[in-house]
Amino acid sequence: MLERLLITGANGALGSLCRARLGHLARVIRVSARGDLGEAGPNEEIIRCDLGDKAAVQALVEGCDGIVHMGGQPVEATWEIVRNANIDGMVNLYEAARKAPTRPRIVFASSNHAIGFHPQTERLDAKSSTRPDGYYGVSKVFGEALARMYFDKFGIETASIRIGSCVPEPVDHRMLSTWLSPDDLISLIERIFAIPVLGCPIIYGASNNDAGWWDNREVAYLGWQPKDNAEAYRAKLDAAQPRPGPEDPRARLQGGLFCADGIHED
Amino acid sequence: MLERLLITGANGALGSLCRARLGHLARVIRVSARGDLGEAGPNEEIIRCDLGDKAAVQALVEGCDGIVHMGGQPVEATWEIVRNANIDGMVNLYEAARKAPTRPRIVFASSNHAIGFHPQTERLDAKSSTRPDGYYGVSKVFGEALARMYFDKFGIETASIRIGSCVPEPVDHRMLSTWLSPDDLISLIERIFAIPVLGCPIIYGASNNDAGWWDNREVAYLGWQPKDNAEAYRAKLDAAQPRPGPEDPRARLQGGLFCADGIHED
Amino acid sequence: MLERLLITGANGALGSLCRARLGHLARVIRVSARGDLGEAGPNEEIIRCDLGDKAAVQALVEGCDGIVHMGGQPVEATWEIVRNANIDGMVNLYEAARKAPTRPRIVFASSNHAIGFHPQTERLDAKSSTRPDGYYGVSKVFGEALARMYFDKFGIETASIRIGSCVPEPVDHRMLSTWLSPDDLISLIERIFAIPVLGCPIIYGASNNDAGWWDNREVAYLGWQPKDNAEAYRAKLDAAQPRPGPEDPRARLQGGLFCADGIHED
Amino acid sequence: MLERLLITGANGALGSLCRARLGHLARVIRVSARGDLGEAGPNEEIIRCDLGDKAAVQALVEGCDGIVHMGGQPVEATWEIVRNANIDGMVNLYEAARKAPTRPRIVFASSNHAIGFHPQTERLDAKSSTRPDGYYGVSKVFGEALARMYFDKFGIETASIRIGSCVPEPVDHRMLSTWLSPDDLISLIERIFAIPVLGCPIIYGASNNDAGWWDNREVAYLGWQPKDNAEAYRAKLDAAQPRPGPEDPRARLQGGLFCADGIHED
Amino acid sequence: MLERLLITGANGALGSLCRARLGHLARVIRVSARGDLGEAGPNEEIIRCDLGDKAAVQALVEGCDGIVHMGGQPVEATWEIVRNANIDGMVNLYEAARKAPTRPRIVFASSNHAIGFHPQTERLDAKSSTRPDGYYGVSKVFGEALARMYFDKFGIETASIRIGSCVPEPVDHRMLSTWLSPDDLISLIERIFAIPVLGCPIIYGASNNDAGWWDNREVAYLGWQPKDNAEAYRAKLDAAQPRPGPEDPRARLQGGLFCADGIHED
Amino acid sequence: MLERLLITGANGALGSLCRARLGHLARVIRVSARGDLGEAGPNEEIIRCDLGDKAAVQALVEGCDGIVHMGGQPVEATWEIVRNANIDGMVNLYEAARKAPTRPRIVFASSNHAIGFHPQTERLDAKSSTRPDGYYGVSKVFGEALARMYFDKFGIETASIRIGSCVPEPVDHRMLSTWLSPDDLISLIERIFAIPVLGCPIIYGASNNDAGWWDNREVAYLGWQPKDNAEAYRAKLDAAQPRPGPEDPRARLQGGLFCADGIHED
């Protein structure tokens, strides 16, 4: 059991989920975000913090031996937004972790958008080349590289999870391949903190979907077995909406609509 | 749902199966063979056609947006028979598909005999080298290459299924590895027509057999999960017949008896 | 069914197990060990034999068409002990097998200690490089190489099983990855003798553990499906003992404590 | 030294080259083509033969222990032309070789157009997937598969050479990568007939070009070292003609203009 | 020949080299840096520009159809320095390139420090995982990912050169493996602008060193053949300085001293 | 420069060569063998020693910081001979090295017979599976495994050289592929002792032969470039002797005649 687990971005979708369901992992859960986080729960402590503020981040990380880093910009945005949240924020977090005598182990919420330009007909594993689909995706490649550097140089362990689509249930056909059920995300994080030696793995965050694209064999040592399967929702999806056509990026590329130009409109 | 699905070879074993069970895939099912096809069912239209007749094949394909190509010579035969049915017939079919404004998607009944000379102790995937075991097997390598050329050059999508042994149940020990249950073939074809972007995959057509030789990981994106397992028939087979001896091609080579000389007797 | 199956080391842990549960594989079971083997069972014959005695081993193997070779030194020991039991003993056994007109098929109890220095965060298959963790592990690499030579040169078939931890249930956290249930070992040996052509495979002897390190895809042709899963014991282990720390060889290296120096103390 | 070497297509560009320069390989050189072959040289015998004529081909091959098969349709053409020359002609040749007690070793003039749809930025070796660029390319895939089948089933050895551009010197920029100098082709064929065991290799027929795309490491056992390098002609080419633009198939795809539609114009 | 080639960082070591020797590649050479650039040469135009100034960079790139991007922070530094020069600077450059109707092709000066934590006993190619050795190295991984995204999404072609040690001659033992002679760098850039289709390759920038670590086979299509070999300097180096000891990062890790902590001293 | 280099087997063919040509590697050369070694040269010391004598070997190794281990049984022999010389002798040598405070680096004369059963048409590298061709070959697999264990467990560095045929010039056709010129062996050993960090590589000991089978790319970091090429002797060999026929093991298998049964004659 951890002494103190920090959850960043704890008011976001995934951060809230982690806050709600990971309380058993540590004696104290420190939840953090820029915005409001409500009341502290029984074993919680709340610290408001902007990840772009280096000194504040250092204070935030102090005393923690585990970090679930869900903070940052979660979708494509202008470069300035992505840079501040996902580039500078990551550096601040890892510098703080390096200085902390508690040597925190880190879960980094990377993203499938680090490999979004691979076609959906291709199977990937952790050794596949990165093909980010926008600033957001590039920032995740950056984050994984930063984590690896802090592992090789300073021994900080990180699990980079390339999260697919973590929502209560699949809401479009692409999610038949990318869905990560909340239960499976939680069980994955539990496994990451339970294993004595983690290393610095890249893990595809997807449930046991019949139509999955990603191969996690290399991280079988974690003992994580996702239990859910998006296939259970296929009929419902087929009934509710048309399948995307063959030219639609949602049907062609793993990153889906992120591969279409969104930000660079001028 | 397709507008019009053509099933060739519809009076053969697999063609009949498809005719009986794929009616829900299209508004109209066009069934075709050289021989008699009986009465047309509710949403069927029947066209007798020799695949060697170029003009007839062009008419046959017209109006179809899906083709399940089960026609052709299904086992080893003299070169002339194989050539006419599986070489010329394929060219006629693909030329017709190329000209059809409906851009039909094609399921091509390829065969394990395209790789029959690999030993049974070897695991194969779609990138394994072809090692055909006779004229029939060579004609299937030809068919897969032709399909790939029409995909690269003209955008025609094909799923080449290297069918193992599609029979109601395994009837010899080799089929403990090669069996493809009729249910699993049908569910595979359903998946092939359901996915928005197919590409031009090579798929091993085998059920979820404990003793299987073939690895379909690369086509997991189809979301096909075969449900049957030949292992359920092992005890029955063991009771009914002796296992082949170690020198028997049925125990040594993936293509089984096709690897023994059959046609070139002179 | 075999005519006569020899089980060596039949008074050891695994040899006893095989003796107790493989009686159905042959008309006669010949059990052997250096020490006492008790009373002969119904279809048993007992031969006491030191594997270091070349002539005795030749007599022992005579008339056998199957061998389950569980004999030898089962853990790290001084070089002399390992050499006599696992080096000379193997050579005697294979020379005897080569001379036997019955051409026995052999199950060789190799060990995960042939690859013990790989980190636990790495996934291995039969093509991974060997990294033995002591004299014992080196003797197993020797045994696999000897078996391969007798296969290539004389046609003797061997299945080398790199046994993980074959005990009734996992007794430490490392076994969550390495456990081989007795049932799964037995079913594996049954499959090895049932298949018409075995070849000379290297098989990882582990159950279907969620947290497994080893990939047996290449030997799927055997049709072996381990049924047990060490994960069922995780909660019990967690309750009973602390997890090893990150510097502990039991948490870092696949060979566990064998990777720590034990024998070379001077 | 061979007893009798058959050169088919001996009045074509490559056949003539072989006729002119391979006379030392055999006691008798049998030259063949459909058309006129002029006067027989000192150790030559001339046999006019249409490869589509099965009986004539059998007579042609009789008594030969080596074949350099340069006959057939050498560029894209209508299906009927390609089929007759490259499909039926191959089958006739291999059937004749199978029946010949002399067990001829065969050099098969395959082509880079068997893999023409790979982009020029990709490196290929013999295990790369085939991606033919037209009927001609598909016929070469067929030929390689047929050769492999006759090797696996009947022990006929073939070297399939995927010839790049065998001309006196490069005449366009693509040939900086594909050029095979006549000297290098000749030295390759010499090596193929000199080695005691050939197997059934696929060899890329290209000189030692700085800008080459193809990796022949797997056939280094032949001991063939091409000596020429198209790079020597780059300045001359640059001076004489513009480089193709980035959309030109000659700059994008390994098969060059063959990847553009040529035959299927309707 | 290019219309206008931009050289950034033109007052740095490599930028000056490019300025001095690439004048023949374009009608106009636009040289740029933050600092002084002296007098404009015959076909030169000089533009002082801070890469952190988005608008200025856009003006800088305008009208250019080629860019040699040598600008930025060239060694490890504080995060702020690296970020401004190598992260923000890259984004500004690529945004400007995307908007330029001239569609410039880009040479990006990446670095071996993107893979610096690989041991020197390991051979790498373009598919090897990145293992950056500091902020500088992480910024190069970022740059390569950004370039790839602009290629996949907007068609901008980049050659990322992982430059080893580009100096007049090797000055320490590690450079026996990493040396890139100035001549070889220049010939590489010439090839990059000469090829009609570049794609988005990762190229190891090292001469033809006997003791090299990096495999460029995948980019042989460029036709680049480095001519120099650091081995010629071995005797001189051995005479002038001791070899580093086995614990020295300069002898253990590809990134050499960059792998030792330099910046994170607190 | 080494302090004291031990050369074992110094009266054998390769040991004599090393004695004659490696004198410059160390201040003192300690030469050893069971038999007579003549007079000590200027910087030599002579120690007669049976490698089977554990205590004697420990004394032999004492004070050495480099070992060229050419001692042992150099060709196939009875098991007892091979075991004593190559199994027990290796263990004695490595135990002595482990105990020596000088931490000697070791060159181990392994052999191509560790992989002799691979066909000559196959290309191998250090990751290829071992396929020994007799007791001698198995003893070399043992030696490589032992060396690896002492590296992983105790940090002893070894270069295992799978020596091809180290003779003054090739004397049969197989040596066109396997020849290692004496000069190239010497330059390889020089490189092994010059590099600061060696690791524990497996190196194929063959010259730069046109017809080579073995790929040393993975050990390019050594900076070894063999200069000789057996091809220079082909014409001489062809003139002097017939090529082996296709059934001859010398033409089929990499281990040549070692793959034929020699020792196991009963």
Side-chain angles (χ1 to χ4, degrees), chain B:
Chain B
M1 199 192 203
L2 297 166
E3 187 60 26
R4 181 176 275 102
L5 174 69
L6 169 64
I7 300 173
T8 68
N11 58 354
L14 300 189
S16 303
L17 174 69
C18 292
R19 184 182 181 183
R21 299 195 40 193
L22 293 176
H24 59 294
L25 285 189
R27 208 182 49 79
V28 179
I29 306 293
R30 179 176 288 177
V31 292
S32 170
R34 265 188 312 184
D36 186 43
L37 285 154
E39 294 285 299
N43 70 337
E44 283 187 352
E45 55 188 32
I46 290 181
I47 301 187
R48 287 180 71 159
C49 176
D50 183 334
L51 293 171
D53 178 339
K54 191 173 174 175
V57 170
Q58 187 158 342
L60 180 69
V61 167
E62 219 175 279
C64 298
D65 50 353
I67 302 176
V68 174
H69 179 45
M70 295 290 172
Q73 167 62 20
V75 291
E76 185 63 327
T78 65
W79 169 243
E80 284 69 25
I81 292 174
V82 171
R83 198 259 325 267
N84 292 347
N86 294 6
I87 303 280
D88 280 340
M90 278 292 280
V91 172
N92 288 342
L93 189 82
Y94 276 80
E95 268 298 275
R98 180 181 69 78
K99 291 179 186 165
T102 45
R103 316 287 298 157
R105 178 176 287 184
I106 302 177
V107 172
F108 166 49
S110 183
S111 166
N112 73 84
H113 296 290
I115 50 82
F117 260 105
H118 284 280
Q120 294 187 4
T121 51
E122 203 176 325
R123 189 160 185 81
L124 304 188
D125 61 25
K127 289 168 188 156
S128 301
S129 62
T130 54
R131 296 184 70 177
D133 55 24
Y135 288 146
Y136 172 69
V138 172
S139 79
K140 294 303 183 182
V141 176
F142 172 90
E144 293 178 4
L146 190 80
R148 181 77 205 189
M149 187 269 279
Y150 274 89
F151 176 67
D152 280 332
K153 205 162 188 171
F154 304 111
I156 304 289
E157 291 185 315
T158 297
S160 293
I161 309 178
R162 289 183 181 164
I163 295 172
S165 307
C166 191
V167 289
E169 66 175 62
V171 297
D172 64 29
H173 282 86
R174 175 175 164 271
M175 291 190 193
L176 291 170
S177 299
T178 61
W179 187 50
L180 173 65
S181 76
D183 283 1
D184 284 334
L185 172 61
I186 294 302
S187 72
L188 172 54
I189 296 175
E190 288 170 342
R191 294 299 310 129
I192 288 167
F193 284 108
I195 199 163
V197 175
L198 173 65
C200 191
I202 288 171
I203 305 161
Y204 287 93
S207 286
N208 185 29
N209 304 323
D210 279 6
W213 302 322
W214 305 319
D215 196 328
N216 269 331
R217 263 181 320 134
E218 296 301 317
V219 292
Y221 68 90
L222 291 170
W224 177 54
Q225 295 283 347
K227 304 296 184 204
D228 292 307
N229 186 338
E231 202 65 21
Y233 300 89
R234 187 185 290 273
K236 184 173 172 187
L237 281 168
D238 278 348
Q241 57 187 270
R243 289 185 203 121
E247 299 306 317
D248 192 319
R250 290 174 300 176
R252 288 194 307 113
L253 298 168
Q254 299 199 357
L257 285 176
F258 279 59
C259 299
D261 192 1
I263 297 301
H264 315 264
E265 296 300 0
D266 51 341

Side-chain angles (χ1 to χ4, degrees), chain D residues 179-223:
Chain D
W179 188 49
L180 173 64
S181 77
D183 283 2
D184 283 335
L185 173 61
I186 293 302
S187 71
L188 172 54
I189 296 175
E190 287 170 342
R191 294 298 310 128
I192 289 167
F193 284 109
I195 199 163
V197 175
L198 173 64
C200 192
I202 288 172
I203 305 160
Y204 287 94
S207 285
N208 184 29
N209 304 323
D210 279 6
W213 302 322
W214 305 319
D215 196 327
N216 269 330
R217 262 181 321 133
E218 297 299 319
V219 291
Y221 68 89
L222 291 171

Side-chain angles (χ1 to χ4, degrees), chain E residues 73-92:
Chain E
Q73 168 63 20
V75 291
E76 186 62 329
T78 64
W79 170 244
E80 286 69 26
I81 292 174
V82 171
R83 198 259 327 264
N84 293 346
N86 294 5
I87 303 280
D88 279 340
M90 277 291 281
V91 172
N92 289 341

Side-chain angles (χ1 to χ4, degrees), chain A residues 83 88 131 133 152-153, chain E residues 83 88 131 133 152-153:
Chain A
R83 198 262 323 269
D88 280 340
R131 298 185 68 176
D133 55 25
D152 280 333
K153 205 162 188 171
Chain E
R83 198 259 327 264
D88 279 340
R131 297 185 69 177
D133 54 26
D152 280 332
K153 205 161 186 170

Side-chain angles (χ1 to χ4, degrees), chain F residues 8-27:
Chain F
T8 68
N11 58 355
L14 299 189
S16 304
L17 174 69
C18 291
R19 182 183 181 182
R21 300 195 41 192
L22 293 177
H24 59 293
L25 286 188
R27 208 183 48 78

